[in-house]
Amino acid sequence: MMTFGDHVGEYAELYALGALEPEERLGIDRHLARCARCTREVGRAEAAVAALDDATLPRVEPPAALGRRIAASAAALAPAKVIAFRPRPSVPMRFALAASIALVVGLGGGVALDRSIGSHVSTRDEDALRAVAASHFLHASFTPAVAGAPTAKVLYARDRSWYYVIVDADIAGCHVVARSSAGDFDAGPLQAGLQTSTLFVRTSAAPRSLSLVKEGRVIATATLAAFSGGP
Amino acid sequence: MGEHEDEALVGDFIARRNEGLEAVYEAYGTALFSVARHVLGDDDDAQDCVHDVLLRLWQRPDSYQRGRGSLRAYLMVCIRNEAVTRLRDATRHRKIETQVAASETTAYEFEIRDVVESERLKRALAVLPPDQRSALALAYARQLSHREISARLGVPLGTIKSRISLGLRRLQTMLPRQEVSV
């Protein structure tokens, strides 16, 4: 770990420009935590780099999806600190979680988010919350196979370590069936809520598609992106 | 860019309120994404970078202190640092090295795009000694570390640090200040 004398000196400019290695930046961060003078120095260097950015970089508007993704991640993270574990899943909490995630994937545009409802969450729902907040993920829509099939989407990790199915209906007796090169397997039943049904699954099977199956009949299928098996 | 930051915005962000994060993104999202997009050269990577950094800092509000100055500038530098770190990862970094080596020269310059600021920046850059300007441009525009610049130019590390530091400090005195109300 690098150390400094009394102050960061010319490292302030290197820090602001991104010209230091990560371990060097960490050393400065630690010093700044206890040195107001160097914090001001680094702040001045940061202002100069920001001014350079404003003068030289083309302004690129971020995609609208980024704002929704950030808001949904914040919504998912905010209640996590006050969650108390209970043995049974809470339907309202699951709805709140699914609703916040639905904001990301644009599921059922009218889904309302109410973080004030519910105070506990199932282990599976917490897994989903943590996975979505901490991972890079993809999503796919389910294509209806029968008339009246509910709108549904699946979020899944880029590394295929988890899958989170969200159905825009409180549908009972519906299972998620995964289809992979190794064969089909039942990933489990959807857990019905007030307005959504969800299922969070961890598997290494890397399925090619997921189907919603009710009473032995496929009602909708989502085709997942090709996966090479790499991280 | 001279501006007074909204005290409520800064306070809400530090207090880890959802509305603080949303307001920060609404106010600075374009600037932050522009930095990430410029460094990484890819929309998806830039989105991941902005998302991850904003969420991380929002969860750790003690990482920003008001005495540091502008929250906007702080966030832009955090995005730049994270983007540069990602860029330097394994294969990507080798690719950049190849690109830099292919355009080998000891004279590196800035590309100025903002019409309003261009004259002011050109004047500021014109007064910098060429060695300071080149070292600064390699750090800023090429995202090279001070060690890489030292190796690239065949100049001792200490000299490179001084050139970059002096160059940015001189620019700092001539560029518009970012102000923050604290």
Side-chain angles (χ1 to χ4, degrees):
Chain A
M1 177 60 59
M2 77 181 300
T3 57
F4 302 97
D6 290 335
H7 298 290
V8 299
E10 59 195 10
Y11 278 94
E13 285 74 29
L14 300 172
Y15 178 97
L17 284 161
L20 296 177
E21 300 298 336
E23 62 273 16
E24 295 171 321
R25 285 212 305 272
L26 186 59
I28 290 194
D29 284 335
R30 289 180 175 172
H31 179 80
L32 296 184
R34 62 178 189 276
C35 182
R37 172 180 158 180
C38 288
T39 296
R40 287 192 297 274
E41 283 299 311
V42 168
R44 276 193 276 271
E46 288 173 340
V49 172
L52 267 178
D53 286 338
D54 288 330
T56 63
L57 300 187
R59 289 174 62 83
V60 184
E61 292 293 332
L66 178 57
R68 292 197 297 270
R69 180 180 168 195
I70 289 171
S73 294
L77 286 167
K81 294 183 73 173
V82 295
I83 286 171
F85 288 94
R86 300 286 172 81
R88 283 183 53 77
S90 159
V91 169
M93 187 58 219
R94 193 169 61 246
F95 168 67
L97 172 62
S100 65
I101 292 171
L103 286 173
V104 178
V105 298
L107 175 64
V111 177
L113 174 62
D114 182 357
R115 290 191 301 277
S116 66
I117 57 176
S119 60
H120 49 278
V121 62
S122 73
T123 300
R124 273 192 166 184
D125 283 334
E126 171 156 323
D127 283 349
L129 184 153
R130 286 178 174 161
V132 171
S135 307
H136 293 154
F137 60 83
L138 309 171
H139 60 86
S141 297
F142 280 81
T143 302
V146 299
T151 303
K153 284 201 172 186
V154 56
L155 278 65
Y156 56 106
R158 278 188 186 173
D159 64 4
R160 300 299 197 271
S161 59
W162 57 263
Y163 301 79
Y164 191 52
V165 176
I166 309 169
V167 180
D168 194 17
D170 51 346
I171 184 169
C174 185
H175 283 240
V176 176
V177 173
R179 305 184 189 285
S180 71
S181 56
D184 299 352
F185 68 92
D186 187 341
L190 287 171
Q191 297 178 9
L194 292 177
Q195 296 181 34
T196 63
S197 302
T198 62
L199 179 67
F200 181 71
V201 181
R202 288 192 185 277
T203 175
S204 58
R208 294 190 303 263
S209 67
L210 299 177
S211 293
L212 304 181
V213 178
K214 187 172 184 181
E215 297 170 350
R217 186 181 180 199
V218 174
I219 62 172
T221 296
T223 301
L224 310 182
F227 182 54
S228 63
Chain B
M1 177 180 174
E3 65 178 28
H4 285 277
E5 283 183 328
D6 184 341
E7 171 64 16
L9 178 151
V10 175
D12 284 346
F13 185 82
I14 291 175
R16 199 175 172 261
R17 298 187 185 101
N18 281 32
E19 56 267 34
L21 178 61
E22 291 166 11
V24 161
Y25 180 75
E26 185 173 341
Y28 308 145
T30 299
L32 301 180
F33 185 75
S34 298
V35 172
R37 179 67 180 76
H38 177 74
V39 173
L40 293 165
D42 178 89
D43 277 353
D44 289 340
D45 290 345
Q47 287 187 64
D48 287 346
C49 179
V50 172
H51 170 272
D52 294 352
V53 170
L54 271 184
L55 265 292
R56 186 173 72 225
L57 296 177
W58 180 66
Q59 286 184 276
R60 293 176 49 208
D62 56 328
S63 59
Y64 169 74
Q65 301 159 14
R66 291 174 189 271
R68 191 161 184 150
S70 161
L71 174 62
R72 178 179 184 270
Y74 166 75
L75 293 173
M76 289 171 74
V77 165
C78 288
I79 293 285
R80 169 177 290 276
N81 272 313
E82 178 67 19
V84 167
T85 297
R86 295 182 181 200
L87 188 70
R88 287 176 185 160
D89 281 352
T91 56
R92 287 179 180 171
H93 187 47
R94 283 197 292 274
K95 184 178 174 185
I96 294 297
E97 283 286 288
T98 304
Q99 291 171 347
V100 171
S103 58
E104 191 75 41
T105 171
T106 56
Y108 297 93
E109 294 297 341
F110 287 85
E111 191 173 345
I112 304 167
R113 296 176 186 275
D114 186 306
V115 175
V116 176
E117 296 299 335
S118 64
E119 285 308 315
R120 191 202 310 252
L121 183 57
K122 281 178 184 171
R123 285 197 300 273
L125 289 168
V127 302
L128 291 183
D131 55 356
Q132 289 181 13
R133 193 164 62 236
S134 288
L136 191 54
L138 279 170
Y140 176 77
R142 299 277 192 170
Q143 294 95 37
L144 296 186
S145 73
H146 59 310
R147 297 180 197 285
E148 291 169 323
I149 297 169
S150 171
R152 178 78 50 205
L153 299 180
V155 174
L157 190 58
T159 305
I160 291 301
K161 288 181 193 171
S162 296
R163 287 181 183 176
I164 293 174
S165 178
L166 290 172
L168 189 62
R169 287 182 190 191
R170 292 184 74 167
L171 273 188
Q172 196 176 315
T173 62
M174 303 183 69
L175 291 172
R177 289 184 57 201
Q178 296 217 353
E179 299 170 357
V180 59
S181 52
V182 292

